[in-house]
Amino acid sequence: MIAKLETEKKAPKQGMLDNVMRQFDNAADIIELNTNIRKILEVTNNEIVVHFPVRMDNGEVEIFTGYRVQHNNSLGPYKGGLRYHPTVDIDAAKALAMWMTWKTSLAGLPYGGAKGGIQIDPTKYTNAELERITRRFTYALGDNIGPELDIPAPDVNTNPQTMAWILDTYMSTKSPAERSTNMHVVTGKPIGAGGSKGRDRATGYGVFLTIKFWAENHNIDLKDKKFIVQGFGNVGYWAAYFLVNEGAILTAVQDAYGCITNEKGIDVDKLLEYTQSNKGSILGFANAKKIDSSEFFSLDCDICIPAALGNQITAKNASKIKAYLIAEGANGPTDVDAEKILLKKGIDIIPDILCNSGGVIGSYFEWLQNRNGEIWSLEEVMEKLEKKMKESFTNVIETSKKRNVDMRTAAFVIAIERIEEAYTQRGIFP
C-alpha cells in the first residue's frame, strides 16, 4: 500500500485533471497533433459511477460510491489501479486514467488507460468490512471490467489481498468452465492466487532503475548520495531498499503521520519492521528525530522521491527544494506551476509516466503469465523489467535532446505519437 500523507487532507482534489490536461496540451502543440485525434484524446471513453450498499459489522447498511474511468483503448485493453481514499472522485479518476494511457503507451505496452476506486477512508473499516465493500464494488462494476477489456491493479490503500477478493468475486460470476480463463482480470494478486514474482517490488524497483539510469547518464555515482522519500508504502520502501543497496543514504521519510530524519542514515528494513508493528506509522522510530512535515521538501538532499499522492510539490514549496533530482514515484506529485520553478532552478524531474511505470510493466508480465499458463522466476521478471525500463528511459533522453525539451515533455511526445500513429493507420469508425 502506498502511504497516505498528513498534507493530503489539504490538497485540492481537482488539481490533477488541470495538470494532466496542461501537460497533454503542451506536448500536443509541440508535435502538432492531428486536431481530430486531439479531440478524441482530450476526453475519456467511459466514466462509470456506481452506488452500492454494504452491511457493516454492526448490522447497519452504508452506501458507497465507486468509480471506474476508461480513458482510451486504441492500443489495447484498459489498464489501471483502484484506490481507496477520501479524495477519489470523477475528476481525480479521469486525470489518473489519462496518465495511465500515456504511461502504457510510453512503455510500449498493448494497453490503454483506466483508473478508479472508492471514496472511502479504509482506516475506519474492519478487514471484514473492507472485504465486503470490495466484493460488492466488483459485483457493481460487473462486465465493465474483464481480462481482455479492463484490468484493475492495486493503488493507494489497496493491495494484493484486495485484488484476490476482486478476482474471486469476478470469477464467481462466470460459469465453472470459464472461471480459469479469467485469472488475468486483475494484476498485483498474491502469488498463490495467480500473482507474479517480483510484482510487489516492480514499481519501487522501476523508480530506482530510472534514478540509476539518470545517474549513469550524468556520470554520477549514487554511493553516499542523500535521498528523501515521501510515502513509506510499497513504492517508497522498495525504491529506498534498492537505493540503499547501491550505497545511497536515506536521510528522511514522511508519511501520513509525520516526518522523521537522520542525517547519518535511516535503516530501511528496520523502519519497515517498525511501521508494521506501529499501525503503519513511522513516528516513534528510535533512530531518527521527528520534524514538522512542512519542512520535508526543504531538507538538504541530492534526490527527492515523492511516492505518495498527487499535488504534493506546488508553487508554494517548489522554491525550497534543494535536491537536484526529483524521481516521481507517485502519480502527478508535481503540479505544472511548480515544475516551471524547478526546471528554472536546474532541477531534473524523472516524470511519473516513466519513473513509476515499473508497476504497470510488472502487471503486464503477470497478465502474460496468466494468459499463457506460465510461471516466471523472480530473476526472469526483474531482468525483463530492467530491459523494458532501460528502453523507455533511453527513448525519453534521446527525444529530450532531439527536441530540446524536458523529460516530461519528451515522455508525453513519445506516448502521444504512438497513439496518433495507431489512429492514423486504423482510421476512425465509421
Side-chain angles (χ1 to χ4, degrees):
M1 257 187 311
I2 298 176
K4 299 176 297 171
L5 285 180
E6 201 173 59
T7 53
E8 73 200 16
K9 296 167 189 171
K10 303 169 190 172
K13 291 188 288 185
Q14 71 279 9
M16 287 191 295
L17 185 57
D18 177 59
N19 283 336
V20 73
M21 289 309 300
R22 287 168 72 182
Q23 291 167 354
F24 168 74
D25 286 337
N26 176 47
D29 288 344
I30 288 171
I31 65 172
E32 298 179 346
L33 178 64
N34 177 291
T35 53
N36 291 318
I37 296 171
R38 187 169 185 152
K39 289 174 191 173
I40 295 168
L41 296 179
E42 281 176 339
V43 298
T44 54
N45 287 357
N46 303 299
E47 297 170 15
I48 302 143
V49 182
V50 292
H51 305 285
F52 54 94
V54 179
R55 192 174 298 283
M56 298 292 99
D57 290 347
N58 64 5
E60 292 293 313
V61 168
E62 277 192 39
I63 306 297
F64 295 90
T65 301
Y67 303 88
R68 189 65 179 174
V69 172
Q70 297 162 337
H71 174 238
N72 188 274
N73 63 345
S74 59
L75 298 177
Y78 301 107
K79 187 84 186 75
L82 288 173
R83 59 176 56 185
Y84 289 0
H85 198 271
T87 60
V88 172
D89 63 10
I90 200 69
D91 280 350
K94 283 164 70 173
L96 292 160
M98 286 182 178
W99 270 316
M100 281 303 301
T101 297
W102 317 137
K103 189 184 298 184
T104 53
S105 178
L106 174 64
L109 302 178
Y111 287 143
K115 210 76 171 189
I118 305 173
Q119 197 174 80
I120 182 180
D121 180 353
T123 62
K124 295 180 178 176
Y125 298 89
T126 66
N127 200 54
E129 287 172 336
L130 287 173
E131 178 177 355
R132 293 197 294 276
I133 291 166
T134 300
R135 289 181 179 277
R136 191 62 182 77
F137 178 42
T138 306
Y139 187 77
L141 286 175
D143 286 334
N144 288 300
I145 60 171
E148 307 295 334
L149 170 66
D150 184 353
I151 307 118
D155 199 86
V156 178
N157 294 331
T158 55
N159 54 30
Q161 179 60 75
T162 317
M163 297 305 109
W165 291 332
I166 295 172
L167 171 69
D168 186 68
T169 307
Y170 184 84
M171 287 173 70
S172 71
T173 65
K174 306 300 173 187
S175 69
E178 291 181 300
R179 285 173 193 167
S180 63
T181 63
N182 285 277
M183 186 71 75
H184 51 303
V185 65
V186 288
T187 56
K189 303 180 292 290
I191 299 290
S196 170
K197 289 174 183 172
R199 177 59 186 87
D200 59 344
R201 66 205 68 187
T203 312
Y205 186 56
V207 172
F208 158 71
L209 284 174
T210 57
I211 293 171
K212 183 184 171 189
F213 299 152
W214 178 91
E216 289 170 353
N217 197 58
H218 287 75
N219 296 313
I220 291 173
D221 188 349
L222 287 175
K223 191 173 183 339
D224 296 329
K225 294 296 180 288
K226 294 179 179 179
F227 71 98
I228 61 176
V229 176
Q230 185 191 49
F232 199 67
N234 182 273
V235 180
Y237 165 72
W238 282 110
Y241 172 87
F242 288 112
L243 274 169
V244 167
N245 279 0
E246 199 75 8
I249 303 166
L250 175 62
T251 56
V253 179
Q254 184 188 9
D255 73 355
Y257 306 95
C259 184
I260 60 171
T261 180
N262 183 343
E263 279 294 307
K264 293 180 180 178
I266 295 170
D267 188 302
V268 176
D269 286 322
K270 284 183 180 174
L271 181 60
L272 176 68
E273 193 179 312
Y274 176 78
T275 59
Q276 288 172 340
S277 62
N278 193 43
K279 297 181 180 178
S281 172
I282 59 171
L283 293 186
F285 183 61
N287 299 315
K289 67 174 182 178
K290 181 187 176 185
I291 62 168
D292 194 277
S293 289
S294 62
E295 297 177 42
F296 178 76
F297 284 115
S298 62
L299 291 171
D300 188 33
C301 64
D302 301 299
I303 302 162
C304 172
I305 305 173
L309 291 179
N311 283 340
Q312 296 304 309
I313 301 174
T314 65
K316 288 183 179 179
N317 59 21
S319 59
K320 300 175 184 175
I321 291 176
K322 295 183 175 69
Y324 51 71
L325 176 66
I326 293 171
E328 295 184 334
N331 293 310
T334 311
D335 74 22
V336 175
D337 294 329
E339 181 152 21
K340 291 176 184 174
I341 295 169
L342 296 169
L343 293 174
K344 199 172 180 182
K345 286 180 69 177
I347 296 171
D348 272 7
I349 303 166
I350 305 176
D352 47 8
I353 65 170
L354 169 63
C355 190
N356 67 41
S357 63
V360 73
I361 294 169
S363 278
Y364 171 61
F365 294 158
E366 180 179 329
W367 186 74
L368 278 182
Q369 290 170 76
N370 292 164
R371 227 176 167 209
N372 301 333
E374 298 177 2
I375 298 174
W376 301 351
S377 68
L378 177 60
E379 292 73 19
E380 193 176 357
V381 170
M382 301 299 268
E383 188 181 316
K384 288 176 184 286
L385 179 58
E386 182 164 359
K387 184 180 177 184
K388 206 90 171 99
M389 293 292 297
K390 180 73 171 179
E391 187 181 303
S392 293
F393 183 86
T394 302
N395 287 342
V396 169
I397 291 296
E398 287 177 354
T399 303
S400 174
K401 289 176 181 175
K402 181 181 173 184
R403 291 187 174 268
N404 193 29
V405 294
D406 59 89
M407 290 178 72
R408 190 186 312 280
T409 302
F412 266 72
V413 163
I414 294 165
I416 295 167
E417 282 186 333
R418 184 174 178 227
I419 296 170
E420 181 182 30
E421 183 181 23
Y423 276 111
T424 302
Q425 291 175 351
R426 285 165 43 177
I428 296 167
F429 177 82

